[in-house]
């Protein structure tokens, strides 16, 4: 029991800040594709085996002009403009997603760099999150297998389109919906309490509209305060366990 008390005391020191997700695409070293010509990159969803630091998913949010979800995703060697580093890229109502377990996390903050390229009047860079599971996805290890992709147009639509245009369905909490911006910008959001202590929170970035028009993404991080299990509760659990051992010995 003395050892348990020591552990509990160490846990009672307090919460600590941590980075719980980080992706800058700099792990990529191979850029065999050129889409469009003269723009080297690595086509498809970001993969762990090719240099991604985190597990990524690909989704379709609205009706595309053509092609598969994977064909509308790309890791670009040079982000362009003020960013000479590798970046993620998406087009034609496709986007990149990742998920987090936020149990025991507080002060969750999302930060990312973004821009568009060749974006037209109706194109929008969209970012937001969904609390809870998304049934369209399956098992995904970050290698672009079938479970890494989902068509969300009917199973979890972002918008409802009516006579007055697009309105949010409530499936997603939208953080950003921005028109053409050919210079890089940073967005940072302190997320509400509803995002904390959830088994699944999905974050998504996509380009609304735009076949051949690009949304670009870089330096995605999620930081949070990690809240330890209260020492008193741990000691209580340890006490019950010790009582159980004592009772078995008595029997």
């Amino acid at each position: 029991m003395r050892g348990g008390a020591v552990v509990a005391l160490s846990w009672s020191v307090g919460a600590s800040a941590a980075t719980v997700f980080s992706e800058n695409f700099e792990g990529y070293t191979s850029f065999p594709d050129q889409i469009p010509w003269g723009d080297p990159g690595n086509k498809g969803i970001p993969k762990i085996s090719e240099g991604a630091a985190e597990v990524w998913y690909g989704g379709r949010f609205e009706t595309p002009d053509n092609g598969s979800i994977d064909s509308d995703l790309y890791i670009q060697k040079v982000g362009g403009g003020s960013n000479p580093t590798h970046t993620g890229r998406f087009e034609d109502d496709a986007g990149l997603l990742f998920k987090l377990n936020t149990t025991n996390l507080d002060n969750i903050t999302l930060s990312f760099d973004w821009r568009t390229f060749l974006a037209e009047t109706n194109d929008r860079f969209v970012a937001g999150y969904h609390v809870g599971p998304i049934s369209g996805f399956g098992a995904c290890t970050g290698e672009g297998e079938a479970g890494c992709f989902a068509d969300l147009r009917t199973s979890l639509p972002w918008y409802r389109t009516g006579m007055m245009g697009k309105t949010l369905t409530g499936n997603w909490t939208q953080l950003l919906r921005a028109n053409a911006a050919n210079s890089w910008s940073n967005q940072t959001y302190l997320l509400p309490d509803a995002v904390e202590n959830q088994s699944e929170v999905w974050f998504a970035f996509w380009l609304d509209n735009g076949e051949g028009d690009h949304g670009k993404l870089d330096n995605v991080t999620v930081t949070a305060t990690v809240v330890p299990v209260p020492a008193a509760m741990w000691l209580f659990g340890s006490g019950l366990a010790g009582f159980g051992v004592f009772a078995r010995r008595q029997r």
Side-chain angles (χ1 to χ4, degrees):
M1 293 298 292
R2 186 185 306 168
V6 170
V7 172
L9 287 172
S10 68
W11 283 13
S12 66
V13 171
S16 59
T19 299
V20 295
F21 185 95
S22 179
E23 181 68 79
N24 60 12
F25 306 104
E26 291 306 300
Y28 274 77
T29 58
S30 175
F31 302 93
D33 309 297
Q34 295 197 39
I35 307 172
W37 182 256
D39 213 341
N42 194 306
K43 64 182 179 181
I45 196 172
K47 297 179 181 178
I48 297 289
S49 61
E50 295 178 1
E54 304 282 0
V55 174
W56 286 92
Y57 297 74
R60 183 76 74 189
F61 292 92
E62 290 193 302
T63 303
D65 293 313
N66 56 59
S68 65
I69 298 171
D70 205 31
S71 69
D72 289 328
L73 305 176
Y74 197 64
I75 307 303
Q76 195 163 313
K77 184 176 182 180
V78 177
S82 61
N83 187 348
T85 67
H86 313 335
T87 66
R89 197 183 81 187
F90 34 81
E91 62 177 302
D92 201 11
D93 294 297
L96 294 171
L97 305 93
F98 67 89
K99 67 175 177 176
L100 289 178
N101 183 328
T102 64
T103 303
N104 294 332
L105 297 184
D106 194 9
N107 300 318
I108 301 170
T109 302
L110 170 69
S111 178
F112 58 92
D113 297 337
W114 73 279
R115 68 168 290 193
T116 59
F117 183 68
L118 298 177
E120 299 174 354
T121 303
N122 294 325
D123 299 338
R124 297 290 185 272
F125 185 107
V126 186
Y129 63 87
H130 169 78
V131 177
I134 299 180
S135 59
F137 292 108
C140 175
T141 64
E143 292 303 325
E145 58 265 48
C148 299
F149 297 94
D151 189 330
L152 305 173
R153 287 178 289 171
T154 56
S155 62
L156 200 73
W158 199 296
Y159 301 120
R160 182 180 296 106
T161 302
M163 294 181 63
M164 302 301 293
K166 293 181 178 180
T167 59
L168 293 169
T169 61
N171 294 322
W172 296 85
T173 299
Q174 186 166 276
L175 297 172
L176 176 67
R177 179 175 171 82
N179 56 7
N182 288 327
S183 59
W184 284 94
S185 299
N186 173 264
Q187 303 289 150
T188 299
Y189 300 95
L190 176 63
L191 302 179
D193 293 346
V195 177
E196 300 167 3
N197 288 305
Q198 302 291 332
S199 60
E200 284 188 42
V201 179
W202 289 84
F203 298 86
F205 311 88
W206 61 289
L207 190 71
D208 184 355
N209 205 31
E211 168 68 7
D213 307 340
H214 302 140
K216 299 185 182 183
L217 179 70
D218 202 6
N219 299 319
V220 185
T221 61
V222 178
T223 58
T225 302
V226 181
V227 182
V229 175
M233 291 188 65
W234 191 89
L235 286 172
F236 177 73
S238 299
L240 289 178
F243 180 79
V245 170
F246 176 77
R248 286 195 298 272
R249 286 178 177 172
Q250 288 296 97
R251 287 199 299 270

